[in-house]
Amino acid sequence: MTSPQLPSSLTDLVLTHIREVPDFPEPCVLFRDITPLLADGKAFRELIKGLADFYRGRIDSVAGLESRGFILAAPLAVELGIGMITIRKAGKLPGAVFGVDYALEYGTARMEVHPEIVKDGDRVLIIDDVLATGGTARAAIDLVEHSGGEATALCMLLELADLNGRKKLEGYTVDSVVVYE
Ligand SMILES: O=P(O)(O)OC[C@H]1O[C@H](OP(=O)(O)OP(=O)(O)O)[C@H](O)[C@@H]1O
Ligand SMILES: Nc1ncnc2[nH]cnc12
């Protein structure tokens, strides 16, 4: 069975609201800045409503990845009337956490979750702004699954295809609103 495709109207909406900033945060990186999209209330609302229509009835909770993923996860969860799972960088969540270390382009990082927040068998949508090397998204899958949830789909606003992030996510549904080849 083929999985449903995000509507192309959402792709156009996002594409027209992204600002490209060369050499940020370091030389030779072309930074894709989502802040113009967030600042346009009509466009931001249209995006969240479009994503809600796409996932309605197929997921039980939305996992947002710190920090730009939070900006998308929270309104989407509210629009759908479901809960948001907060996946944070190391040392930010209080109490007992489960953590996963992962590789960045340079160095390593760690993401953490409160495992009891994820209900057994919950269909979880993982959402973030950018899929680059895929390390962050892969760590999020491991956190959700270790906590008893099902990583039903990953939604990425922007996918930087030349960094091959999808390779780390083989076997999972990855819905990217915009793919930069
Ligand atoms: O696919 P990867 O190579 O793992 O990279 C993608 C991650 O990088 C960015 O986050 P960043 O760590 O810059 O944090 P921020 O959201 O707090 O800016 C982006 O928001 C993704 O979470
Ligand atoms: N090129 C890029 N633009 C915006 N966010 C990013 N995160 C990782 N790479 C990025």
Side-chain angles (χ1 to χ4, degrees), residues 28 30 32 105 131-133 159-166 179-181:
C28 301
L30 179 61
R32 264 72 189 229
E105 272 179 282
L131 175 63
T133 66
E159 176 178 345
L160 312 180
D162 56 343
L163 294 176
N164 279 323
R166 238 170 225 270
V179 180
Y180 292 100
E181 302 291 350

Side-chain angles (χ1 to χ4, degrees), residues 29-33 68 105 129-130 132 158 160 163:
V29 174
L30 179 61
F31 191 83
R32 264 72 189 229
D33 179 20
R68 285 174 270 163
E105 272 179 282
D129 66 327
V130 173
L158 313 176
L160 312 180
L163 294 176

